[in-house]
Structures are given as structure tokens and as C-alpha cells.
Amino acid sequence: MEALLPVLKSRPGLSVLVCSLIFRVVHKLLQRLPVPKVVRQDDFRFWKWKNLSVSMVHSLLTGTWALTCVLVWPETLTDLHSYHTPLSYLLVCVSTGYFVQDAGDIILTGHGRGSWEFLLHHALVISCFLYALFTQLYVAGAVIALFVEVNSVTLHLRLMLKLCGAQSSSMFHINKYVNFFTYVVFRLGTQLYLSRYIFHNYSWMDRGGFFLISMMMMNVMILIYFYRLIRADFFPRSRIHVGQNGTRNSNSQKFLTD
């Protein structure tokens, strides 16, 4: 791993591209797995299922990876500006490659127009992560940001269950509460931690304005989605189409923040 780090750092753009292609291969391999009949009958649901399958792989991988980095190297939590290890740098490369691949999948399959919120989220993440990779600064901050992927596992599972019509299953009911817990702890908690860091260190941070604006935009998106999530799961109104993020929408192809 120590030998690989100089290669990654010397060509971060190429490293991200390679990781993106790897996730594209994963996308192709996952298509060989069985898909529920109700999902196959609708083109949008079928595409979303395939897209979510790759997202689930990414979340399981990077969420576990990010937590491991912090547990093994606690300095990651305190030195967000300069500290990183070969594994944490590789983690950010891998995750950036996924977001590039996912954005490309959304655009090239013709779902970009209805996915502008989702693409905005990806653009913010990619720009921040690329800055960390090219400057070798805030890599630890990017690792902490990936704590949200722990919650993404339950978010993806939630939507996959809704796509196959399993809203009344015990698994969906249990996941609803687990998803709420992980959203508060790993998504809202992570955003609060990073926002606090930026506010307290803004005066000396490199590109502090860029990170502050990006974080505030992410905070707004995440809070709006949290409200929609609570309303859809705990205060449902009527049965209408499943939206892109699993909340109830009249337009089944509307993308919301993931």
C-alpha cells in the first residue's frame, strides 16, 4: 500500500477514472443477479434497481472503510486538514470514482433532467473530493464525510423494498426505524461535525469560502430530505408513485437527495 500511494498522488485524476471504470464493471456484473418481476416490468424501476445495486456496494464498502480508518487512526477525527494514510487516500479515490460513474450513469441513460438535485449533490461531493486528492489536504475530512454512507445502506434498502412493493413487510418496518437512527447519527451527526469544524477554522482554512458554501448547500439538501423522509415514512398521506429517493411523489422519476 505504501508503494501504491505515490502512484495515486502523482496521477489523482487517472486514479479516479480507473476507480470509476471499476464501478462500471461492477454495474455490469450486478446485472446478472435476479431482479424482482415487478421491477422488470417498468423501465424506470428496472434502471433504478440496477443503479441502486451499485450504490449499495459503494455504501457497504466505503461506509465500513471510513469507520475502520477512524478506529485504526483516531488522528483522522482531529486533524482534518493535513492528516491522511495510504488507505484513507485510496478510499477517497475509490469513492470519487463511484460518484463520477453514478453521475455518468444518470446523465447517459437520460435521467439527468429529473435528477438535478441528485446531480447537484454529486457535483458538490466530486469537487470537494477532487480538491482533497489533488492538494492532499482535507483527506481526513473527506473520510469523515463518508460516514454518511452507513446511513446510505438503509436508505438504499428502503427504496429497493419500495421498488419491489414490499412496503408492508416486516423488513421494511424494521428498516424504517434503523434508517431514522442512522440518518440522525451518521448523516446529520457527520454534517454537524464538519460544519462545526469549518465555522471554527474558517479564518485560516485553504479555500474556506468554497467549503463553507458547499457545506451549507449540503446541509439544506439533507435537512429537506430528512423532512420528506419523516413525512413519507411516519406521516403518510396517500398511496402514489414511488419517487427516486423512495419518498411519495406524483412524479415517479423525480430525483431527490440520496
Side-chain angles (χ1 to χ4, degrees):
M1 184 56 66
E2 293 289 346
L4 179 61
L5 186 61
V7 178
L8 296 175
K9 289 184 174 180
S10 64
R11 293 180 174 83
L14 180 59
S15 301
V16 168
L17 179 59
V18 170
C19 292
S20 179
L21 292 175
I22 291 174
F23 274 106
R24 197 61 194 169
V25 172
V26 172
H27 181 278
K28 295 294 183 182
L29 293 176
L30 289 174
Q31 293 185 31
R32 300 182 179 182
L33 297 178
V35 178
K37 184 178 179 180
V38 67
V39 174
R40 294 198 307 268
Q41 292 174 344
D42 181 85
D43 290 340
F44 173 73
R45 287 172 179 258
F46 187 41
W47 168 78
K48 184 57 183 171
W49 182 276
K50 293 186 294 184
N51 180 271
L52 274 174
S53 299
V54 183
S55 299
M56 181 67 84
V57 171
H58 168 259
S59 296
L60 288 169
L61 174 65
T62 59
T64 305
W65 195 338
L67 291 175
T68 301
C69 284
V70 171
L71 290 173
V72 177
W73 299 286
E75 299 92 333
T76 304
L77 278 174
T78 55
D79 187 2
L80 275 64
H81 178 263
S82 304
Y83 183 79
H84 67 271
T85 66
L87 273 177
S88 61
Y89 191 90
L90 178 60
L91 167 60
V92 180
C93 279
V94 170
S95 189
T96 308
Y98 159 75
F99 284 112
V100 170
Q101 184 278 147
D102 196 52
D105 182 56
I106 293 170
I107 295 171
L108 295 176
T109 53
H111 296 94
R113 185 175 180 180
S115 315
W116 68 268
E117 294 178 56
F118 201 56
L119 290 175
L120 175 60
H121 167 269
H122 280 21
L124 291 172
V125 173
I126 291 170
S127 60
C128 290
F129 281 15
L130 283 178
Y131 181 86
L133 292 174
F134 276 95
T135 64
Q136 300 171 36
L137 300 174
Y138 306 114
V139 175
V143 171
I144 294 174
L146 286 169
F147 279 14
V148 302
E149 295 302 327
V150 176
N151 169 246
S152 292
V153 172
T154 55
L155 277 177
H156 298 330
L157 178 59
R158 172 182 179 271
L159 182 50
M160 294 178 84
L161 289 170
K162 296 191 80 167
L163 286 174
C164 60
Q167 295 95 317
S168 58
S169 66
S170 57
M171 181 179 292
F172 184 88
H173 184 74
I174 294 171
N175 184 72
K176 178 172 67 174
Y177 292 99
V178 176
N179 183 47
F180 178 85
F181 174 77
T182 58
Y183 201 106
V184 172
V185 174
F186 290 100
R187 193 170 293 270
L188 295 180
T190 297
Q191 290 298 119
L192 178 62
Y193 187 86
L194 293 174
S195 297
R196 181 177 178 274
Y197 177 86
I198 293 175
F199 282 130
H200 282 206
N201 300 281
Y202 176 79
S203 60
W204 61 266
M205 283 181 64
D206 303 280
R207 301 292 185 270
F210 165 71
F211 286 108
L212 179 62
I213 292 173
S214 298
M215 185 58 62
M216 290 304 99
M217 292 177 67
M218 292 286 289
N219 288 343
V220 170
M221 294 168 68
I222 286 174
L223 288 173
I224 291 174
Y225 181 65
F226 189 49
Y227 164 74
R228 290 171 174 171
L229 187 68
I230 293 175
R231 187 181 64 181
D233 279 2
F234 297 97
F235 304 99
R237 295 181 179 179
S238 60
R239 290 180 62 87
I240 46 184
H241 292 294
V242 179
Q244 181 76 8
N245 67 341
T247 57
R248 303 173 191 274
N249 293 290
S250 57
N251 182 356
S252 64
Q253 296 193 26
K254 182 179 180 181
F255 256 108
L256 299 174
T257 310
D258 193 57

